[in-house]
Each structure stands twice: as C-alpha cells, then as structure tokens.
Amino acid sequence: MHTTLLELEVRNHPGTMSHITGLFARRAFNLEAILCVPLGTGATSRILLLVADEPRLEQVEKQLAKLHDVLSVRQRADLSPDLFRLLDDGWQAGATKPASAATAATAAG
Amino acid sequence: MTINGAQILTTLLERQGIKIVAGLPGGPILPFYDALKSSSIEHVLVRHEQGAGFIAQGMARTTGKAAVCLASSGPGATNLVTAVADAYLDSIPMVAITAQVPQSLIGTDAFQEVDTYGLMIPITKHNFLVRSPAELLEVIPLAFSIAESGRQGPVSVDIPKDVLTGTLELGEWPEPGRPEKAPAIADDQIKELAALITKARHPIIYLGGGVISANASALAHELTRRIQAPIVSTLMALGAIPPDEPLYMGMLGMHGSKATNFLLEETDLLIAIGARFDDRATGKAAEFCPTATIVHIDIDRAEIGKIKQPFLSLHGDANEILGKLLATLPAQQRPDWVRRTLELKAAHDLRMPSAAEDPLHPLGFCRTLASLIPSDSIVTTDVGQHQMWIAQAYPVRHPRGLLTAGGLGSMGFGLPAAIGASLAAPGKRVVCITGDGSIMMNIQELATLAELDLPVAIIIMNNAHLGLVRQQQELFYGQRYHACKFASKPDFAAIARGFGIRGVRIDPNDDPLAQIQRELARPGPVLIDMPIVEGAKVLPMVPPGAANRVMICEPEKAECSC
C-alpha cells in the first residue's frame, strides 16, 4: 500500500487522540501509525499520521480539519513514510532512543 | 462571590437565553436540579431520557437555536444516545448535558458509571468532559457556539458530580456563546456560478436541509423563478419551497416522484444547496444526474466532494451566497425546459383516490390533512411508511413546517418532537403523524404531554404492521413475511385515556374525516387511532443501491424506466 504522512497540530486535551483515532475507525479510513509530541508548554501537540495515499485522502483531511481540537492539517509529502520504521528499528535495537518527549502508538491507542 | 458548579451552569444557561430544558434526574445530576429549582428555566420532566432528547430536538428544529436536554449518568446518558445521534445526522443544534460519577470514582466501574465521553465522540460535533467548576465558564458558552456555528449539530457536555458541587470565587461572567461568522465568498466565485447558470440549458436546483438551517428558503425560491429552473427537495428540505410553485418538483430519490427522478436524468447543471448527496436522495451515486455539471454550495467543506466531485464549489452560508448571486443575476427564460418540466410533472402526478372515494387512503389522507389544520401548523412524523406518505403528499407550506428524523431515521421521534415543537411555538397546532410501530417507541411521553396539556394531536396510521419492513419483504424477499406483523393490537385510544389524554378510534364507515376534523377542532392534546389498509405500499420505490431511474411503480411490482 502506498502511504503518506499527515501532520496535525492539535489542542492537547485528554480526549483529542480518541477523536482522531475514532474518526479513522468510523469512516473506514486507513491509519498505519501515529507519533504525538507535546509542543512548548504542552497546550498543543503535533501529531504525525501515517495514512494510505488514496483518493479519499482529501476527505480524510477535511474530516480531520472539522474536529474542534484539530488546529491545522497538512500533508508532509517531503517526509518519508520510512520515518516510523526507522523509529521502531531504533528503539527495538536500543541503539538510538526516540526523543524522550515522543510517544508512539498504534491506531488502537 | 462563592458559587458552586451547579449554580454556574444554571446561570450560564439563563444567560444563553435558555427558557426550557427537558430531562430526567438521577443521583449525580441532583446538585444541578437543586440549582435549577430556583431558576427561571422551566424544566420538562420526561419519562425516558430519549424523550428529553427528542423534545429538545423539537424545540431546536422549530426555532433553529440550540436546545438543551438533561440526563443523569450511566443509563440516563445511554438513553440519550439515539436522540443525540439523530441530531447529528440531521445537523440539529442541541446541547446534551449529562452528569457523571464524581471524578474520584471515574474509571472504577462505579454505580451508574459509563464512558459518556467515549459514547458521544462519534455522534456529536464535539464533546466535553468538564474537570473543574472553572472549566464550565469556558465550556458552556463554547458548547452553544459550536452547536450553532457553521453546519449545526449536537454537543455533549458530561459533568462529574464533584464539578457541580465544587465551588469557585467568581469574577466576571463570560459572554454567551454565539455562532461564528460563515466564511466569506469571493466575488469571482459568484461570477463563475452566474456564468454557469446563464450557459446552462437544463439547470435544476437541488435543496437539502442546509437551506432550511441557513434560512435561505425564500432566496432559493427566488432563484428558481429568476432562472426558470425546476427545483427538487430532499426530505430535510421539504417546506423550503411553497407547494404551489409550478417549478417545484417535490422530493427526489428513493420515494421521490417519477417526474422528479426522470427530470434529473436530463439536467446539464445541478445546483446543490445545503444537500449532502445522501444515498436515499441520489440512488446509485455514480449514475446520479449522469449528464450534469455539478455545483455544490455548502457550509461544511467536508461535504464538498464526499460523494460527487463538483465542477464548482462554494463554501459558505447559503443565504449569503444566494443573496450575492441574485444581486448580479438577470432574469432568464427557458421555455423549452419549463415545458418539459411541466409535461413530466403532469404525466407522473401522484395518483390517489379522492377523499370521497377513499377517505383513509394513506396517500390521500396525507394530502387531505392540510385542509383539516391551520396553514401555520407544524407536522412531525415518526419513521416508516407514514413518514414517506407525508413526504410525498402533505403540502408543507413553510420552512420548519415538517419535522422528521431524516438521516438516522429514528422511530420514536414523532411524539416527543411534537411536544418540543409545541413548547417552542406556543398556540400553534402541532400534529404528530405516526404509525402503530413507531408510537410504541416513546409512548410513555403521553404522560408528559398530558401534564403539559399542549395542542398536540397524534394521528396513528394503524395497519398493525411494521409497514416499510413488510413492503421490503414483499418486494425484495419473495413475500416471505417475517416479524413485520403485530399479533396483538393495542387499544391506543384507551391507552391515551389511561394517560389522561383524549383518545379516539376512528370508525372508517362513519365519515372518518368528519370525525378527525371534529377531534382536531377541540382544544388540548388528542390521540387519534386511524385504521388504514394493510399492505398499502410507498411507491414509487427505487430499490436500495439501484439508480434512481429504476423505480418500482404502479402498477405494483412492474419496473418502469425512462
């Protein structure tokens, strides 16, 4: 499957991740991986989503943009989907720990 | 001033202009009910929380403003869920306030604890779990603002009991929540739309519920006259265009008229306004309006291109867009297209016997109903055959004149929605048209109606069946009827009397319309149990998944196609 990355800036509420992952589940969009990093004081977070690069991607972006806690949505075609694999390889090997503030979760998280 | 969360909530609702709330209390929400007792806000005590949700919807659908329903934690909240989901599918502004177990008990599977926050996520525009009394000051105005902004919808606010009892030194009250301004429309988009319309030979205007919520009905009507284009309506837009407009083609889609669905095959420009290309309207989407260039006007950007990719889209408020368009658009003549429209309309008019021949013919009765009630009446329906007969034949004479559960199709909507409509429009005649299946789903609200003594008439089109299920089994399951016929036939008139409401059963052999008219002329609530013929169908019908040109029509079971 061809994948691409979406970058979101979100309000950092306890329910924000549920809203985002729930949206993917109920609209039957593909979500392969998530990376979420709190920004600055922690009022907002940046989220990277690894998603299927399909015609419905535009609809995914529009639906994400409608979520109240999602402040911005943009495609990051400049980033390689390998980023997540490298991240995983890194911490599995214990060689390069992921940035301490970063948390990664699967779509179920 | 020291004030607790419950008092904060009460005052914020008062400042928001809320006059009536509907709900049913339980343990965790009692601090709020304690504060509500000394408030100017009237509380309508329902018998099931779903009733509270639909009463709030009835108020919201009548006024266009967000209405409030209340429930306690656990089962109270889960009972609200259907009404909230229904509001979401039909874009109805509503704020659903639920209480939650105290924060110290959240996550312990405490008594009557349920994850209301989680339940509400997929069925609301947005939802909140309030964590402190101070947060209420931000969340409550924001909840109303979200519910009423852009594409309207429900917002859920879940409040743990300790937030209601917790106190705060209050400084200033926040401003009440107001709808945000719609995005501005660029003049060149209006110009492009005007050019497309001017160039089109066979334009059709396709209205959805958004035209009602944008208060754009009058301008949509003006557009039809200005450009001499026929205009079609979804279930949710019925009432936007007066039924006597010659170019008005009524409902499209699964139970739309033949003329309307045929005409849509011929359009070269489809102007969708506040419509979402729902499958009940479009049939097989790929074959909907096959020769048309599509223009889509919508306040929700995500609706644009969701089902059909438009050639031109205008993201904004329909009233504003139509106002700008009409300011630049000269009158146009399309004599051939108008002739073709009127010819199809005449050829495929709804067929029904006259009231003299068969006064209780389902379709005929829905048409006759208009002559039995004042023109400013509000009709609510439940879900099923009676709903579609009303949609096909009852002439809805003004926007918000028909309240119906369109998207979610929730049986049980009609009675509580009628109560809500009557509360929001005091003195108006409200009629709930329902079926013997649907009425049972919120029949307990007859008790609420009896207490309120509102001018709500409930007319049950009684065929002792889940009629639309029977119809599908007849047409698509080889007449293998199963679980669609009710073995017992309750005496609905006696049930109404048991609740303290006038109840009558119509004798079909003794001038039934006169009996109904007599009952409708008397003040106060009434339940009218009206027998209709078993086995009557809603036709035409596009089989689910088929293109709209494939309609099952009279004579029954023969397929007709253009």
Side-chain angles (χ1 to χ4, degrees):
Chain A
M1 183 181 58
H2 210 63
T3 54
T4 188
L5 287 153
L6 289 181
E7 181 186 295
L8 316 182
E9 194 175 328
V10 303
R11 286 196 187 88
N12 196 2
H13 286 307
T16 305
M17 193 68 91
S18 298
H19 279 111
I20 292 166
T21 55
L23 176 71
F24 275 81
R26 73 177 175 274
R27 291 205 180 259
F29 298 147
N30 276 306
L31 176 56
E32 298 299 313
I34 302 180
L35 177 68
C36 178
V37 187
L39 298 177
T41 59
T44 58
S45 294
R46 184 176 295 136
I47 293 179
L48 268 182
L49 303 174
L50 183 65
V51 299
D53 191 4
E54 52 176 341
R56 290 212 305 160
L57 187 58
E58 191 188 332
Q59 177 63 202
V60 177
E61 287 179 63
K62 285 176 174 173
Q63 293 292 350
L64 283 168
K66 270 170 70 172
L67 295 176
H68 180 73
D69 286 332
V70 172
L71 304 171
S72 70
V73 183
R74 60 176 182 143
Q75 277 198 49
R76 289 296 304 266
D78 55 316
L79 294 179
S80 162
D82 284 344
L83 185 141
F84 282 93
R85 192 177 48 75
L86 294 173
L87 197 63
D88 186 55
D89 288 351
W91 93 67
Q92 290 306 323
T96 50
K97 286 175 74 174
S100 60
T103 51
T106 65
Chain B
M1 179 176 56
T2 305
I3 183 169
N4 73 16
Q7 291 162 324
I8 293 172
L9 176 59
T10 307
T11 306
L12 288 173
L13 293 179
E14 287 169 351
R15 290 171 59 88
Q16 194 67 47
I18 296 299
K19 304 273 186 266
I20 303 173
V21 296
L24 193 144
I29 204 171
L30 282 182
F32 178 48
Y33 273 77
D34 200 33
L36 207 52
K37 187 169 166 54
S38 46
S39 158
S40 62
I41 297 173
E42 184 189 337
H43 178 265
V44 173
L45 176 62
V46 295
R47 298 308 194 272
H48 184 294
E49 291 85 349
Q50 192 183 107
F54 284 137
I55 286 174
Q57 273 213 40
M59 294 193 282
R61 288 177 190 248
T62 301
T63 62
K65 295 238 167 241
V68 175
C69 55
L70 308 173
S72 199
S73 68
T78 57
N79 281 348
L80 264 190
V81 161
T82 299
V84 173
D86 187 278
Y88 188 55
L89 267 286
D90 284 348
S91 307
I92 304 303
M94 180 160 98
V95 175
I97 297 174
T98 49
Q100 183 55 273
V101 300
Q103 289 182 87
S104 57
L105 292 180
I106 288 182
T108 65
D109 303 319
F111 177 65
Q112 292 193 333
E113 181 191 2
V114 77
D115 177 13
T116 305
Y117 185 89
L119 286 171
M120 293 292 183
I121 288 175
I123 56 168
T124 53
K125 272 189 84 174
H126 191 57
N127 63 320
F128 298 94
L129 174 59
V130 184
R131 288 164 195 278
S132 68
E135 258 188 46
L136 284 169
L137 296 167
E138 185 194 336
V139 164
I140 299 300
L142 185 56
F144 281 91
S145 172
I146 293 173
E148 291 183 351
S149 294
R151 180 178 181 176
Q152 299 181 321
V155 174
S156 145
V157 182
D158 195 32
I159 311 176
K161 186 180 183 186
D162 59 301
V163 172
L164 292 172
T165 53
T167 57
L168 178 75
E169 252 335 286
L170 187 75
E172 269 183 45
W173 289 105
E175 284 301 305
R178 296 284 172 243
E180 282 170 21
K181 254 184 86 63
I185 294 297
D187 287 343
D188 55 349
Q189 281 195 301
I190 300 288
K191 268 191 210 148
E192 202 181 341
L193 175 55
L196 278 174
I197 291 173
T198 306
K199 207 178 65 186
R201 295 176 57 229
H202 300 155
I204 292 183
I205 304 164
Y206 154 42
L207 300 183
V211 86
I212 306 258
S213 29
N215 296 317
S217 305
L219 294 185
H221 189 196
E222 173 58 26
L223 180 64
T224 275
R225 287 184 295 207
R226 181 83 61 88
I227 69 170
Q228 290 292 293
I231 191 161
V232 306
S233 169
T234 65
L235 178 65
M236 292 304 295
L238 294 176
I241 303 301
D244 55 1
E245 163 57 51
L247 290 171
Y248 177 53
M249 298 295 288
M251 193 168 71
L252 79 162
M254 181 175 276
H255 295 298
S257 85
K258 262 195 269 190
T260 308
N261 285 339
F262 285 163
L263 195 68
L264 283 159
E265 296 279 309
E266 299 174 18
T267 177
D268 62 351
L269 180 70
L270 183 74
I271 307 162
I273 308 175
R276 61 183 174 88
F277 294 85
D278 168 66
D279 59 278
R280 287 299 187 264
T282 64
K284 190 176 183 184
E287 293 177 34
F288 179 62
C289 297
T291 53
T293 296
I294 292 174
V295 173
H296 196 170
I297 298 171
D298 209 287
I299 191 73
D300 181 357
R301 212 165 63 89
E303 284 306 330
I304 292 166
K306 186 183 83 177
I307 305 290
K308 293 288 266 189
Q309 199 58 48
F311 177 78
L312 174 68
S313 63
L314 290 90
H315 172 219
D317 173 66
N319 197 42
E320 196 183 318
I321 293 170
L322 291 180
K324 282 190 167 179
L325 176 66
L326 287 164
T328 66
L329 202 62
Q332 303 178 355
Q333 297 302 324
R334 292 186 168 81
D336 292 347
W337 185 224
V338 169
R339 197 175 312 120
R340 172 66 179 150
T341 301
L342 299 180
E343 170 192 297
L344 270 175
K345 198 171 162 178
H348 302 291
D349 203 13
L350 277 178
R351 275 182 287 169
M352 63 190 88
S354 71
E357 282 172 79
D358 184 357
L360 298 186
H361 183 272
L363 209 49
F365 174 76
C366 291
R367 172 103 5 125
T368 309
L369 175 65
S371 63
L372 304 178
I373 55 179
S375 65
D376 66 348
S377 299
I378 299 171
V379 170
T380 74
T381 76
D382 261 302
V383 173
Q385 286 185 313
H386 68 273
Q387 179 189 31
M388 289 299 109
W389 284 321
I390 284 285
Q392 290 180 328
Y394 173 73
V396 190
R397 289 167 282 191
H398 53 92
R400 306 187 186 280
L402 174 68
L403 314 184
T404 192
L408 192 69
S410 319
M411 292 167 71
F413 171 91
L415 169 57
I419 294 173
S422 188
L423 288 168
K428 274 193 190 170
R429 166 52 80 191
V430 178
V431 181
C432 164
I433 301 292
T434 182
D436 55 291
S438 284
I439 188 64
M440 289 295 250
M441 292 216 183
N442 272 319
I443 199 163
Q444 76 287 344
E445 299 313 325
L446 285 175
T448 312
L449 177 59
E451 285 166 4
L452 295 167
D453 195 30
L454 298 164
V456 170
I458 301 136
I459 301 181
I460 302 176
M461 298 178 80
N462 190 342
N463 57 8
H465 272 82
L466 292 167
L468 215 43
V469 172
R470 184 190 191 282
Q471 170 168 343
Q472 295 216 27
Q473 291 179 339
E474 176 182 337
L475 294 174
F476 310 122
Y477 295 87
Q479 303 183 31
R480 294 183 297 279
Y481 300 117
H482 184 51
C484 66
K485 184 180 173 69
F486 296 118
S488 74
K489 297 183 178 57
D491 182 346
F492 289 110
I495 290 171
R497 288 193 291 273
F499 277 109
I501 287 177
R502 224 160 7 105
V504 290
R505 183 185 267 170
I506 298 302
D507 175 357
N509 301 313
D510 181 20
D511 196 353
L513 292 179
Q515 296 171 57
I516 293 169
Q517 193 158 24
R518 201 159 50 234
E519 292 303 329
L520 288 173
R522 293 172 61 187
V526 62
L527 182 145
I528 300 170
D529 185 7
M530 186 180 94
I532 61 165
V533 62
E534 248 184 54
K537 287 198 287 294
V538 181
L539 294 172
M541 178 176 194
V542 178
N548 277 351
R549 82 179 77 84
V550 185
M551 284 171 276
I552 300 167
C553 319
E554 308 278 8
E556 300 185 356
K557 277 182 279 182
E559 285 196 357
C560 52
S561 122
C562 59

